[in-house]
Every structure is written in C-alpha cells, then in structure tokens.
C-alpha cells in the first residue's frame, strides 16, 4: 500500500449474498422469500491515516483539551459527580436508541424497584459503561465482548458476549434484509474486522478524539452483535478516552452531545461509509463541547442544591444525617441497606438520620411493594431530568430521529 493509499480513506464496498429465510412465507424477491441482497464489506483500517483538514484536527484537539480540563476540575470531587455523570452518559447513549426513562426510574431500577423495562435497560448500560472504564487499559476483542456481556446479560436471545451469527440490517422490514438501507457485514467477517479495529484503536500516533470517532464509526459499520451495538460502541468510546488519558476521573457524557443532533450523527456515519471520516470527527468534537457545557450546568445545579441542604439540615453535626448528604448527591434514590452500607452504619441505626433528612425536606419516603421503604431527593432527580431534556433538545438542523 502506498502512502497515498494509506491516506485515502476507503469507501464501503459490498458483496452480494443470498437470503434464505427460516420460514418459507413472507414477501421478498422470490416466491418463498429467497433473494439476493448486498451486505457491507468494510476495508481494514489499522494502518490507515485519515486525511483531515488542519482546522478539523485543531477543532478535535481543542475539544480534547476541554474534555481533559473538565475532568481535571472534577478530580477532587470525584466521589460525588463521577457516578452521576456516568449514569448521564449511559442514559444519553440509551436515548439515542430510543430508550428513555426518568432519573427516578433509572436509580430505582438499580435497586430492583422499577417496573420500567427501559429503566432496567439503561441501568444495564450504566454497568456497561463502568465495565468499559475498568477495561480501558487494554482495548481488544475480549474487552468488547465483555462490555456486551454486561449490557445484554438479561437478554440471552441476543447471545451476550458473543459475536452474532446472523445478518443484521437497518430498514423498514424485520423479516428480510432484501432492499434494506444498510446490511452489516456477513458474520464470518467479524473476528478479523474487530481485530483490525482494535489495532487501530490502540495506535498512539493519532489525535485522541480523531481515533475515538473513527473507531466508533468503524465499530458501528461492523455491527458485530445482534443487538446493543450502539450502546456498546459508545461505551468503547468512553474506554478509549480513559485509556488515552483524556479522562481520568469521570465519564464525560459525550453521548449527550451526540443526542442534540441524532440526525447529524447518523449522517456522519453514512459519510464515513462513503469514504469521508471528517463528518464523524466533527460530530464527536461538537458533541464533546456540547456535553461539557451541559455537564457544567448540571454540576452547578447540584452544587446549589447541596448548598441549600446545609441550611435546611439543623440536627447536630455528629448525626449521620450529615454524612448521608454526599451519598444522596450521587445516589438520589436509596434504600436503608444501601444507605447504611455507604456510611458504614448498622442498618437499625440508619433510620433516624434518614428521618432527619425527611424532616428537613431533603428526602421523601416511599413504600415499595415487597421491597420496603425507599427515599428519594426530588431536587437531584429533577436536575438530572433537566440535563437529559437539554441533551435531547432539538437544534436548528432539524428534528431528532432515532434508529435501532
């Protein structure tokens, strides 16, 4: 491969395959549903260098610096804000896939008290993000499989932690890939493509956000799983940011930035497949800056709430109620067992400080059927819901749409 070939980003090629449905009925090209379809055949990218304009590289570099700066600012306050930002990233990533739930439902789901299936899926995505950050020191095929296993552990029909063995596609029909807008590569190609992708992801010679954006686009092009590709791919982006040292303390909710223009995000993926990686790099750079601005506002609102609590709570300073304040900031829905564990108290001794917080108007109690009482901070939950609303707000480019 010549130097020019290295810099010419490959447009997606295709191969023609035959579709043989499991059942003989259904509308397709043939009377029994059989027919031909074009599946993606992505090129390997591990040794390629994207030919990006100097202004775009500078833009990506500036966004990277802002990510690092925001992360550093919260470094000394990691205990309170890291869990909230992690959950915000998981919720935003899930919302891109049309999975939405209130902050209250998500935190309740983590305690086993939610009746919302979406909230349970978002809680699973939070665990995936956590696993991604824990695995950030080594980006390889096993890392991606482990992320997916965490995400899909309650959905065995989607083979958690295993590459798909069937076609997947984006289109209006669920019974056939014939005529679909996009058909992912044949499953036999996945292992080699993932090995190539992770080799690209580990390269130290590319600017961090450039590498993250392109690796994400390539992952979404490969679509290695039967479900959960988008959420796993965005978890991989967080792992790469952590592995490259851009973020050290928090998962900056970049997905919240992408959520502000989902149409643009999907169009950028389409452009990438046409041989132009610039759009996805730009999308990630803009998403990072939007996410930081949104997260700063969230931090400011929570700081203001925490400050008000200092005046609302009037019990003696030796009370465990004061120690619970910082717990509630990061876990605004809590049960007695969790509260006691967080501050190292015996469970029978946790009820008086919880009641003190109720009396001060900081917490509200709620009895959950078969699970006993829960307590919640409506102020923190409202701040998180406002963060989600800002993230999903339509921008001037058009309305938000979502794909599976």
């Amino acid at each position: 491969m010549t130097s020019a070939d290295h810099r010419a980003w490959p447009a997606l090629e295709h191969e023609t395959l035959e579709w043989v449905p499991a059942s003989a009925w259904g509308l397709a090209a043939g009377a029994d549903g059989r027919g031909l379809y074009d599946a993606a055949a992505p090129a390997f990218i591990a040794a390629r260098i994207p030919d990006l304009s100097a202004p775009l590289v500078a833009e990506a570099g500036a966004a990277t610096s802002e990510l690092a700066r925001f992360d550093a600012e919260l470094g000394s306050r990691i205990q309170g804000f890291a869990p909230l930002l992690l959950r915000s990233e998981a919720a935003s990533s899930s919302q891109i896939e049309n999975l939405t739930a209130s902050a209250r439902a998500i935190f309740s789901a983590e305690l086993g008290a939610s009746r919302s299936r979406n909230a349970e899926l978002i809680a699973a995505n939070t665990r995936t993000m956590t696993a991604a950050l824990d695995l950030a020191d080594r980006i390889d095929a096993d890392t991606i499989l482990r992320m997916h296993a965490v995400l899909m552990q309650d959905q065995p029909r989607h083979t958690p932690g295993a590459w798909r063995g069937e076609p997947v596609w984006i289109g209006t029909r669920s019974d056939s890939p014939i005529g679909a807008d996009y058909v992912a590569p044949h499953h036999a190609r996945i292992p080699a493509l993932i090995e190539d992708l992770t080799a690209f992801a580990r390269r130290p010679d590319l600017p961090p956000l450039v590498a993250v954006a392109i690796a994400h686009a390539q992952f979404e092009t490969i679509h290695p799983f039967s479900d959960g590709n988008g959420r796993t791919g965005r978890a991989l982006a967080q792992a790469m940011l952590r592995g490259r040292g851009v973020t050290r303390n928090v998962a900056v909710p970049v997905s919240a930035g992408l959520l502000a223009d989902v149409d643009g995000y999907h169009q950028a993926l389409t452009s990438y497949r046409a041989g132009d990686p610039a759009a996805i790099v730009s999308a990630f750079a803009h998403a990072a800056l939007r996410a930081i601005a949104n997260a700063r506002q969230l931090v400011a609102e929570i700081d203001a709430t925490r400050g008000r609590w200092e005046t609302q709570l009037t019990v003696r300073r030796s009370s465990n109620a004061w120690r619970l304040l910082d717990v509630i900031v990061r876990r605004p829905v809590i049960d007695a067992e969790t509260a006691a564990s967080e501050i190292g108290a015996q469970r029978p001794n946790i009820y008086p400080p919880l009641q003190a917080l109720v009396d001060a108007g900081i917490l509200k109690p709620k009895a959950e059927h078969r699970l006993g009482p829960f307590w919640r901070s409506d102020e923190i939950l409202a701040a998180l819901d406002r963060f989600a609303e800002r993230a999903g707000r339509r921008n001037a480019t058009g309305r938000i749409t979502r794909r599976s």
Side-chain angles (χ1 to χ4, degrees), residues 127-150 235-236 238-240 242-243:
R127 295 191 294 271
T128 305
M129 292 289 176
T130 302
L133 297 180
D134 289 343
L135 298 167
D137 59 333
R138 179 64 179 178
I139 304 298
D140 57 19
D142 184 60
T143 295
I144 295 172
L145 288 170
R146 289 167 70 182
M147 291 179 198
H148 187 259
V150 173
L236 175 62
Q238 287 291 338
M240 288 183 64
R242 179 64 57 88

Side-chain angles (χ1 to χ4, degrees), residues 318-362:
S318 60
S319 170
N320 277 333
W322 290 97
R323 297 177 62 195
L324 280 174
L325 291 182
D326 289 331
V327 175
I328 295 163
V329 164
R330 66 180 185 271
R331 303 198 67 160
V333 177
I334 201 164
D335 59 10
E337 182 178 358
T338 304
S341 175
E342 285 278 356
I343 65 171
Q346 296 296 316
R347 181 166 176 171
N349 298 332
I350 202 66
Y351 294 101
L354 284 169
Q355 185 59 46
L357 295 175
V358 172
D359 293 341
I362 294 170

Side-chain angles (χ1 to χ4, degrees), residues 237-256:
Q238 287 291 338
M240 288 183 64
L241 288 171
R242 179 64 57 88
R244 287 170 171 264
V246 176
T247 58
R248 300 179 184 274
N249 302 300
V250 297
V252 180
V254 176
S255 293

Side-chain angles (χ1 to χ4, degrees), residues 267-291:
Q267 288 165 9
L269 290 174
T270 299
S271 294
Y272 173 83
R273 292 165 186 159
D276 180 12
I280 194 65
V281 173
S282 180
F284 265 74
H286 290 159
L289 295 175
R290 283 192 294 261

Side-chain angles (χ1 to χ4, degrees), residues 148-322:
H148 187 259
V150 173
L151 176 68
M152 308 299 290
Q153 63 183 4
D154 295 327
Q155 301 181 62
R157 69 188 182 91
H158 290 298
T159 58
W163 310 128
R164 60 178 167 84
E166 59 188 4
V168 296
W169 60 89
I170 297 172
T172 57
R173 296 182 54 178
S174 61
D175 63 336
S176 170
I178 299 172
D181 296 331
Y182 176 75
V183 183
H186 189 273
H187 57 82
R189 291 179 175 268
I190 293 173
L193 284 168
I194 291 293
E195 288 298 330
D196 174 77
L197 166 63
T198 55
F200 175 88
R202 293 192 299 268
R203 280 175 49 183
D205 60 315
L206 295 173
L209 203 59
V210 170
V212 169
I214 291 177
H216 173 76
Q218 183 75 352
F219 180 87
E220 296 305 314
T221 297
I222 299 168
H223 236 63
F225 302 112
S226 60
D227 193 26
N229 292 281
R231 284 165 285 164
T232 304
R234 288 182 287 275
L236 175 62
Q238 287 291 338
M240 288 183 64
L241 288 171
R242 179 64 57 88
R244 287 170 171 264
V246 176
T247 58
R248 300 179 184 274
N249 302 300
V250 297
V252 180
V254 176
S255 293
L258 294 172
L259 187 60
D261 185 9
V262 178
D263 280 345
Y265 168 54
H266 285 130
Q267 288 165 9
L269 290 174
T270 299
S271 294
Y272 173 83
R273 292 165 186 159
D276 180 12
I280 194 65
V281 173
S282 180
F284 265 74
H286 290 159
L289 295 175
R290 283 192 294 261
I292 292 167
N294 195 356
R296 286 188 193 280
Q297 187 169 343
L298 173 64
V299 169
E301 291 180 7
I302 291 175
D303 275 344
T305 298
R306 180 66 175 81
R308 287 193 298 272
W309 290 350
E310 292 285 337
T311 62
Q312 290 175 242
L313 188 60
T314 58
V315 297
R316 67 185 187 279
R317 281 284 173 176
S318 60
S319 170
N320 277 333
W322 290 97

